[in-house]
Amino acid sequence: MARDIRKLFEEEQKDSHLKMSDGHQARFLEKLDEALPVEIAIKKRFSVLQIAAGIVVLIGLGFGASKFFKNSTPISTEIVETENPSKDDQLKSLGDISPDFKKVEDYYLANINLELSKVKQTPQNKELFDGYVVRLAELNQEYKRLSVELTAHGPNELTVSALIDNLKLRLNLLYRLKEQLNDLNTSEEGEIKA
């Protein structure tokens, strides 16, 4: 009794007396279009919006990543040796290492110059003032020596720290001079009143 299913279908199609009426398929498609186009159009809009949103997100992530990696690149320093460098022209300073060190150096140098300009030299404080000026000159020479070392051997933690400490020491020395001058002026005013 086993029969081939393909043969059964062929016989069924030949025997089939049921046929669709003319235009049945066209009417069915019209009804289908009337019922479904809104849902399909909405789905198409959402899919287009999803694609557009995805592209915007990818562009934003790419832009953000490029900014992040562009700003976080390490600063490379290159040591170039020349045969006869002019010491004053070729000396490196903290500002040559990085912008942050330049800010620190500028801050200290500006404050040193400001405090130095505020000090008033009088015959009474000349000896005290001269003592501090000699010490400042020694610190300035040490700073130049450290700058030569920085130029010759390149930046390292010890040299950079020594340069910053030198600037701090010079500024503190000026603060101390200013305090002693104020004390000296206060004691002189007290002697005058008494």
Side-chain angles (χ1 to χ4, degrees):
M1 280 281 245
R3 294 177 63 186
D4 188 13
I5 195 157
R6 284 178 266 177
K7 288 183 182 178
L8 283 174
F9 276 119
E10 287 175 9
E11 290 174 9
E12 181 68 29
Q13 285 179 352
K14 290 178 186 175
D15 293 337
S16 177
H17 51 35
L18 299 174
K19 280 196 163 190
M20 285 193 257
S21 61
D22 291 334
H24 176 74
Q25 187 175 1
R27 287 190 308 271
F28 176 75
L29 289 176
E30 283 177 24
K31 287 181 182 179
L32 188 63
D33 283 341
E34 289 174 8
L36 295 179
V38 176
E39 291 177 23
I40 292 173
I42 290 173
K43 286 181 184 178
K44 285 182 181 178
R45 277 192 211 132
F46 281 129
S47 65
V48 169
L49 289 176
Q50 288 172 341
I51 291 170
I55 290 172
V56 168
V57 167
L58 287 176
I59 289 172
L61 287 174
F63 181 74
S66 69
K67 286 290 185 185
F68 177 75
F69 289 118
K70 188 175 188 178
N71 290 339
S72 66
T73 56
I75 298 171
S76 62
T77 56
E78 184 177 326
I79 301 171
V80 178
E81 293 185 26
T82 58
E83 295 192 17
N84 293 322
S86 171
K87 286 186 180 180
D88 292 334
D89 293 340
Q90 298 295 328
L91 284 182
K92 285 188 178 180
S93 66
L94 289 173
D96 295 331
I97 297 172
S98 80
D100 292 333
F101 285 139
K102 179 159 181 52
K103 288 178 186 176
V104 169
E105 183 180 38
D106 290 345
Y107 168 79
Y108 279 112
L109 290 175
N111 280 326
I112 288 168
N113 291 332
L114 177 68
E115 293 302 321
L116 201 53
S117 69
K118 288 181 180 179
V119 173
K120 304 234 188 304
Q121 185 179 358
T122 63
Q124 293 84 7
N125 66 16
K126 182 176 181 359
E127 188 176 323
L128 179 65
F129 184 78
D130 289 343
Y132 275 95
V133 168
V134 167
R135 181 67 182 131
L136 284 171
E138 290 172 0
L139 288 171
N140 197 29
Q141 287 300 324
E142 179 65 16
Y143 190 82
K144 286 181 182 177
R145 187 192 66 74
L146 289 168
S147 294
V148 168
E149 183 179 324
L150 179 69
T151 303
H153 301 292
N156 63 48
E157 188 175 342
L158 292 174
T159 306
V160 170
S161 294
L163 285 166
I164 293 172
D165 289 342
N166 182 290
L167 291 169
K168 285 180 187 177
L169 188 58
R170 283 197 271 173
L171 186 58
N172 287 334
L173 200 62
L174 285 170
Y175 286 144
R176 208 172 324 142
L177 171 63
K178 197 172 172 185
E179 286 175 20
Q180 287 186 349
L181 290 175
N182 286 337
D183 292 343
L184 184 65
N185 289 339
T186 306
S187 67
E188 285 179 3
E189 288 175 7
E191 290 175 7
I192 293 174
K193 290 181 181 178

